[in-house]
Amino acid sequence: MSETPLPLPAAPVTITVRPNGPLRVEGHIILKDVDGKEWDLTGKPAISLCRCGLSEKRPFCDGSHGRQGWQCNVMAPGENLG
């Protein structure tokens, strides 16, 4: 009896918390709304997601955080949570 090989994991996605800014997401991204409908991200190896809630293009960042003076600096704790 032969076993079906498990699929290889996709390359990891990297999410960077930008100081006073968006979440920068890089890698193979699939972004879905609450109903499961996918945004067309063809040709986009990276996207910036709104973190402040001020963007008129949510879930994407449009730079409103800078124009409104929104601030939130988040740093990873000294220990690895992974």
Side-chain angles (χ1 to χ4, degrees), residues 10-81:
V13 170
T14 301
I15 303 173
T16 304
V17 180
R18 296 267 173 99
N20 301 320
L23 298 173
R24 184 70 175 168
V25 185
E26 300 173 87
H28 179 76
I29 305 161
I30 297 172
L31 182 61
K32 295 182 180 184
D33 69 12
V34 70
D35 295 323
K37 184 179 174 187
E38 290 185 21
W39 270 270
D40 181 7
L41 301 176
T42 303
K44 295 183 181 182
I47 59 173
S48 292
L49 296 175
C50 178
R51 195 163 59 110
C52 69
L54 299 170
S55 175
E56 293 184 21
K57 296 182 179 181
R58 284 187 305 266
F60 304 101
C61 176
D62 69 359
S64 292
H65 60 276
R67 292 186 293 278
Q68 298 294 325
W70 183 81
Q71 294 186 357
C72 183
N73 286 315
V74 179
M75 302 300 287
E79 58 192 57
N80 185 354
L81 299 178

